[in-house]
Amino acid sequence: MIARLLALSLLIPAATAAEEIGKIGVDWIGNDIVIEAIRDPKVGGVTCHLAYFDRSMLDRLSQGNWFEDPSNSAIECARTGPIDLSGIRRGKGGEDVFREGRSLVFKSLRVKRIYDEENRVLIYLAHANELTDGSAKMAISTVPLLDEDRDPLPPE
């Protein structure tokens, strides 16, 4: 069963690629905070910066948990060009923008996009997704839309 889940998790691609733009050492054993730029693949003109904790090999050895990183993350998104909403999925459940494994099989760090049509705001939520236990660790960022941003579809 675990082998099938592992194989399945390797076959599911991330929603988009992230570009590492910074790495800050936080202690003497090699733990780092990594900062990645994530461009929304369906909404050109929005870039999110995601920061998360990356455990070192020494920390993994001393803690005894080889295959898991913490779920903590921070996110900030900004308008970086013209915005086109014609390709996004609408609805309260949102849509995955980015997904990265945080353990061997059971945990991932995700960024979801939700469009608040009434207030004309894109909401980006970074959160952990776990197979067995949910996590309350999350971070949120918003990108307000301007009048010139195209929104060709009527609200659902």
Side-chain angles (χ1 to χ4, degrees), residues 24-152:
I24 293 111
V26 295
D27 58 27
W28 65 271
I29 59 174
N31 291 317
D32 297 316
I33 294 174
V34 176
I35 302 169
E36 295 179 335
I38 303 164
R39 287 167 187 76
D40 190 323
K42 291 190 177 179
V43 179
V46 175
T47 302
C48 296
H49 292 91
L50 182 68
Y52 60 87
F53 192 79
D54 186 36
R55 291 177 59 213
S56 69
M57 188 57 67
L58 186 55
D59 188 37
R60 291 173 193 276
L61 285 170
S62 67
Q63 299 294 325
N65 186 348
W66 283 84
F67 303 111
E68 188 168 83
D69 278 326
S71 302
N72 302 20
S73 63
I75 190 168
E76 184 62 37
C77 301
R79 179 189 189 104
T80 54
I83 293 178
D84 179 1
L85 302 176
S86 62
I88 69 170
R89 182 183 315 151
R90 295 163 187 252
K92 291 185 179 188
E95 184 172 18
D96 277 348
V97 173
F98 173 77
R99 178 177 55 238
E100 180 175 83
R102 302 304 288 156
S103 72
L104 186 59
V105 177
F106 300 109
K107 183 168 48 170
S108 63
L109 176 60
R110 293 184 177 194
V111 174
K112 285 195 131 344
R113 175 197 344 93
I114 298 171
Y115 179 37
D116 176 352
E117 294 186 54
E118 182 177 337
N119 296 301
R120 298 202 27 83
V121 174
L122 290 170
I123 301 165
Y124 291 86
L125 175 71
H127 69 97
N129 193 63
E130 297 184 41
L131 185 62
T132 56
D133 295 317
S135 174
K137 297 173 185 173
M138 68 194 98
I140 191 170
S141 182
T142 61
V143 178
L145 302 177
L146 306 174
D147 288 338
E148 66 264 16
D149 296 323
R150 290 185 285 150
D151 188 4

